[in-house]
């Protein structure tokens, strides 16, 4: 791909009109660079206690857009593999992706997806629509189906700000299954091993019209409930100062909440839990 095999010149494939998909370009000319295409030998499955897995991520809409958040823990079986994993990443200026599942493959998929969106915009001269971004990510997950069936699944969560949507509905959330099935979710969603508990908390605490601070506290409460019942999900680590990653996407674009703000909100939530260990009641 560097041109060295052509005496320092780019190969003919770089000058041949084709798809605006960078993934399709790699699949045609350098498929060995696509980690999602590599399948283990027949009959071999990945040992779950030998591969780091990311756990709980979630998203919810709020007054100005959509919020996406994740805990920081990765596990290998019953071991904590990493305490400060970053599971939430910007895909472009108005889109973000978080992941649960096999960490190595997920990070590769996120990087490839970022390049995919940038490549499309450079080739076509316009940004891909949010629906197009969701379909493109679904296609990339589908390419990983062989590895998913061998125990190396990646389950992303996609959020974006859609200026073409009606007012009040511009924050959008998309979930996927391991076969690339695409589903749009209303109001909130969670993925990963702690997702049943996080979704239960979100169902209890979510309401229309939350401001940014209220949405961030709701996300932190949901992640705390997930960590309370799921050993693979990490709660706020006050002593190490490791806190969940919380990001928002609004008309102004993607913004990761500063560490100081996330720490302040996490400490406030933990203090509230001293009086109410099971968390706040549903808002009337």
């Amino acid at each position: 791909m560097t041109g060295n095999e052509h005496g320092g010149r780019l190969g003919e494939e770089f000058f041949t009109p084709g798809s605006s998909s960078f993934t399709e370009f790699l699949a045609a000319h350098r498929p060995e660079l696509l980690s999602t295409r590599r399948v283990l030998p027949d009959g071999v499955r990945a040992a779950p206690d030998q591969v780091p897995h990311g756990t709980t991520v979630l998203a919810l809409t709020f007054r100005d857009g959509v919020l996406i958040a994740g805990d920081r823990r990765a596990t290998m079986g019953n071991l904590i593999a990493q305490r400060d994993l970053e599971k939430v990443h910007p895909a472009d200026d108005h889109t973000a992706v978080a992941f649960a599942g096999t960490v190595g493959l997920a990070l590769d998929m996120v990087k490839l997806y970022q390049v995919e969106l940038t490549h499309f915009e450079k080739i076509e001269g316009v940004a891909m629509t949010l629906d197009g971004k969701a379909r493109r990510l679904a296609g990339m997950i589908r390419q990983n189906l062989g590895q998913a069936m061998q125990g190396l699944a990646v389950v992303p969560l996609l959020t974006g700000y859609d200026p073409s949507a009606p007012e009040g509905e511009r924050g959008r959330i998309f979930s996927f299954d391991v076969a690339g099935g695409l589903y749009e979710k209303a109001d909130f969603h969670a993925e990963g091993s702690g997702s049943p508990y996080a979704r239960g908390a979100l169902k209890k605490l979510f309401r229309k019209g939350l401001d940014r601070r209220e949405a961030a506290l709701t996300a932190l409460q949901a992640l705390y409930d997930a960590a309370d019942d799921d050993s693979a999900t990490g709660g706020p680590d006050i002593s190490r100062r490791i806190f969940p990653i919380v990001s928002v996407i609004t008309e102004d674009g993607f913004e990761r909440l500063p560490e100081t703000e996330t720490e302040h909100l996490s400490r406030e939530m933990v203090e509230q839990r001293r009086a109410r260990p099971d968390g706040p009641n549903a808002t009337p």
Side-chain angles (χ1 to χ4, degrees):
M1 298 295 285
T2 62
N4 291 334
E5 60 270 38
H6 300 285
R9 298 187 302 274
L10 292 175
E12 182 180 348
E13 63 270 18
F14 288 91
F15 302 98
T16 304
S19 169
S20 56
S21 168
F22 183 73
T23 305
E24 291 179 8
F25 178 81
L26 281 184
H29 301 289
R30 293 293 294 274
E32 71 275 9
L33 296 179
L34 286 173
S35 60
T36 54
R37 293 293 182 90
R38 301 171 195 154
V39 181
L40 299 176
D42 289 343
V44 176
R45 284 185 58 86
D49 59 347
Q50 297 298 316
V51 182
H53 276 70
T55 48
T56 310
V57 294
L58 59 83
L60 67 149
T61 59
F62 70 107
R63 186 174 60 198
D64 299 320
V66 61
L67 178 147
I68 186 167
D71 81 310
R72 307 292 296 275
R73 179 173 292 178
T75 58
M76 290 193 303
N78 64 333
L79 301 178
I80 297 175
Q82 188 173 345
R83 300 180 188 275
D84 59 352
L85 177 65
E86 299 203 3
K87 305 175 188 175
V88 179
H89 302 266
D92 63 13
D93 289 343
H94 287 87
T95 317
V97 61
F99 66 84
T102 307
V103 172
L105 282 175
L107 291 174
D108 279 352
M109 189 179 291
V110 168
K111 292 174 185 176
L112 183 59
Y113 185 58
Q114 292 167 334
V115 174
E116 179 81 5
L117 299 187
T118 301
H119 182 78
F120 178 93
E121 187 168 350
K122 287 181 177 179
I123 296 297
E124 299 293 339
V126 294
M128 196 181 297
T129 65
L130 185 54
D131 287 300
K133 294 173 187 177
R135 288 192 296 270
R136 191 62 59 92
L137 183 55
M140 294 173 65
I141 298 167
R142 200 169 297 118
Q143 292 174 356
N144 189 56
L145 181 59
Q147 294 184 89
M149 295 298 99
Q150 293 177 312
L152 299 174
V154 176
V155 183
L157 183 62
L158 181 70
T159 59
Y161 183 86
D162 187 354
S164 65
E167 186 74 31
E169 300 177 13
R170 293 178 178 171
R172 299 175 65 190
I173 302 168
F174 299 89
S175 72
F176 307 83
D177 60 35
V178 296
L182 170 61
Y183 315 93
E184 183 165 4
K185 300 296 184 177
D187 299 332
F188 59 83
H189 190 62
E191 292 287 0
S193 61
S195 61
Y197 314 108
R199 283 199 295 268
L202 290 170
K203 184 180 292 187
K204 176 179 71 172
L205 299 175
F206 177 84
R207 58 180 172 79
K208 296 282 190 181
L210 294 169
D211 62 27
R212 186 175 104 155
R213 186 178 188 279
E214 291 170 331
L217 274 172
T218 298
L220 292 171
Q221 293 278 11
L223 288 172
Y224 191 100
D225 277 352
D228 200 33
D229 287 297
D230 173 45
S231 62
T233 303
D237 192 332
I238 302 295
S239 59
R240 294 184 177 89
R241 298 187 65 190
I242 299 173
F243 303 97
I245 292 176
V246 181
S247 299
V248 296
I249 312 171
T250 65
E251 184 178 12
D252 296 327
F254 175 91
E255 178 191 358
R256 174 170 166 170
L257 269 60
E259 188 76 16
T260 52
E261 182 177 355
T262 307
E263 178 177 356
H264 175 76
L265 292 173
S266 296
R267 289 181 181 274
E268 178 181 331
M269 178 200 63
V270 170
E271 191 59 35
Q272 292 172 357
R273 291 276 179 152
R274 294 182 189 278
R276 299 186 64 93
D278 293 330
N281 292 328
T283 304

